[in-house]
Amino acid sequence: MHELSVAAAIIERAADCAREHGAGAVTVVRVRVGELSGVVPDALAFSFDVAREGTPLASARLEVEQVAAYAHCAACAADFAVGVPPFLWCPRCDRPSAELRSGRELEIVAVELPAAEAGVPEEDRARRAATEPPHAGESAPAARPASSGSAASA
């Protein structure tokens, strides 16, 4: 079950983010998991719950956004679901496609830190999040997209 190593890498990166922002804990970690990433969301959630004990994420919640796999057909400009295992043949024009548009994601989207530790009112966090770089107590982008089988670069 490689989801345990993926969960451990997510926890490590989120804890680093908390330290960088002067927070002692993390409340929420949001991740995107593509249909073709090789990661089973339920297994990742279970692994996260096990691996977070004794870390700054001990009471953190993991939110997983599942991303469907879509390809693009250059011949007819259609986007279509490829399924699992992937079938990269355009249902509209009956031609093969080589362009996978989504479904391989495995990335940390945000790390949310406790507002009380940062002294930032909850309503201010939401309002400023779209216009300012993250500060302690706000949702902070925590990682670059990882390659499809690893969160270690996250």
Side-chain angles (χ1 to χ4, degrees), residues 60-143:
R61 185 175 74 246
L62 179 68
E63 293 180 359
V64 178
E65 175 190 350
Q66 297 182 39
V67 181
Y70 280 90
H72 178 76
C73 177
C76 71
D79 288 339
F80 58 96
V82 299
V84 177
F87 185 71
L88 298 171
W89 204 267
C90 180
R92 186 170 165 195
C93 71
D94 201 30
R95 292 187 182 164
S97 173
E99 186 181 345
L100 191 60
R101 290 249 165 125
S102 66
R104 294 178 50 201
E105 296 82 357
L106 179 53
E107 59 190 351
I108 298 172
V109 177
V111 171
E112 194 170 296
L113 307 174
E117 287 186 29
V120 177
E122 190 74 28
E123 56 276 359
D124 288 348
R125 290 185 339 158
R127 186 176 64 241
R128 290 189 326 209
T131 59
E132 293 183 9
H135 301 284
E138 296 182 5
S139 286

